[in-house]
């Protein structure tokens, strides 16, 4: 999974498990979901993002992996 465009800071969670955080500007990062754990079936990817004055926003999406 690849992300770009986080402007200040962010944290990434997969199925409720912390994956990584970024604190650079601008941001591009990636990770291999299988490195975090098994993924068959329904999965949840969540981002917590922060702006320059520490306002927080959250986004969550669900995706499915078939075997």
């Amino acid at each position: 999974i690849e992300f770009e465009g986080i402007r200040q800071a962010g944290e990434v969670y997969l199925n409720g498990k912390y994956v990584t955080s970024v604190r650079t500007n601008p941001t591009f990062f990636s990770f291999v979901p299988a490195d975090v754990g098994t993924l068959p079936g329904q999965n949840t990817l969540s981002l917590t993002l922060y702006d320059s004055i520490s306002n927080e926003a959250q986004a969550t999406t669900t995706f499915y992996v078939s075997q």
Side-chain angles (χ1 to χ4, degrees), residues 43-66:
N43 296 275
T44 302
L45 180 67
S46 301
L47 300 172
T48 302
L49 308 172
Y50 305 93
D51 66 13
S52 61
I53 57 173
S54 298
N55 290 315
E56 180 180 305
Q58 295 182 346
T60 301
T61 190
T62 301
F63 65 96
Y64 298 87
V65 176
S66 60

Side-chain angles (χ1 to χ4, degrees), residues 2 17 25 32 45 50 65:
E2 297 179 348
K17 183 177 180 181
N25 185 13
V32 177
L45 180 67
Y50 305 93
V65 176

Side-chain angles (χ1 to χ4, degrees), residues 1-23:
I1 296 177
E2 297 179 348
F3 295 91
E4 64 181 275
I6 296 174
R7 301 301 294 175
Q8 294 296 325
E11 299 167 346
V12 180
Y13 299 86
L14 182 60
N15 296 328
K17 183 177 180 181
Y18 173 81
V19 175
T20 190
S21 62
V22 290
R23 304 270 184 245

Side-chain angles (χ1 to χ4, degrees), residues 3 29 36 40 48 67:
F3 295 91
F29 68 96
V36 179
T48 302
Q67 294 180 322

